[in-house]
Amino acid sequence: MNLRPGARALALLLLASAACGGPPTPSPVEGEPICPDFEVGATRAQMRGSLRFPVALTVRDGKDPITRATLTGRRSKDDPVSRILLADEDAEYELEWAQCENERAPRARTLSRETKDTAEYACGNATVYKTDKLVTRKGDAASRTVHFAAPPKPECWESELPAAAPAPSPAAVAEPAPADASAEPAAADAGAVDAGAVDAGARGAGAPPADAGAPRGGAATPADAGAPRGAGAAPRDGGAGGAPKPPSAGAGDAGAPPQGS
């Protein structure tokens, strides 16, 4: 059976590992970022959470790569952690952390598992941002735990929903029309009439207005002025009662010339 050079090298490595220290075992990657599910579009389609720019982890034994993994983040804290295969043996590895230059396209949340119809993600040129050393000991599973190194771009995919339509503004209230200037005097007179009516009601139906007896002008007649004195007015008597005296006898012709002579 013909194998590709890379596959042949990996097969030889697995055989050597099995002979020396046992088969490779899943080793956890701790501290991977959590990217929750999100929504996109007007239909609010449910998408699986992931890093916008995944991280490529390469484990090297000297210059030879042992294993590679593309880490896209966990969807929640309850999701299982990512794992890589490492031999259970005493060894020293180099961990190479690089961030992909291509964004990973969002995927529908209803996708239960990867299928052949799903487009394979192409990382592109991955830029190495950190290298670590991992020393493992045979029989010690904790020594094979890999701790995630945060990338320069740790952003997760987030909801991208269309902007909500602005709320309709309340109907404008029509301003009242300005009062007609010609109606103002009438309104003033009406107020005066109302005031007089109130005053009349307070004094009774037959009472004269409050200013009926008030003198108007400087020629007003005094309140105690008597009857007007004219030519036919009887003189007042200075005595008691003021009654006029009857004329005395003969007084009427005292100065009259004798009739006939």
Side-chain angles (χ1 to χ4, degrees), residues 85-225:
L85 292 176
L86 292 176
D88 182 15
E89 62 178 358
D90 296 333
E92 182 175 330
Y93 302 106
E94 183 181 85
L95 306 180
E96 187 178 85
W97 301 93
Q99 188 160 34
C100 299
E101 67 173 353
N102 297 331
E103 291 184 346
R104 182 177 185 269
R107 304 190 181 190
R109 192 173 68 178
T110 55
L111 184 64
S112 59
R113 58 188 176 85
E114 300 295 333
T115 64
K116 293 182 179 179
D117 297 332
T118 303
E120 185 178 356
Y121 170 71
C123 178
N125 293 327
T127 303
V128 176
Y129 61 89
K130 188 176 182 182
T131 56
D132 290 328
K133 284 188 177 182
L134 178 66
V135 178
T136 62
R137 294 181 295 274
K138 185 177 180 180
D140 184 2
S143 66
R144 297 191 299 275
T145 300
V146 177
H147 297 279
F148 184 84
K153 299 178 181 178
E155 298 87 1
C156 298
W157 281 105
E158 297 180 355
S159 296
E160 297 179 358
L161 303 177
S169 58
V173 180
E175 296 183 359
D180 190 1
S182 60
E184 293 182 358
D189 293 344
V193 173
D194 292 344
V198 172
D199 189 27
R203 288 177 168 77
D211 57 350
R216 297 177 183 268
T221 305
D224 58 350

Side-chain angles (χ1 to χ4, degrees), residues 1 12 26 29 31 34 41 48 51 93 124 134 138 165 167 172 187 221 231 233 241 250 255:
M1 181 176 60
L12 293 175
V29 178
I34 295 176
R48 299 164 67 91
L51 290 170
Y93 302 106
L134 178 66
K138 185 177 180 180
T221 305

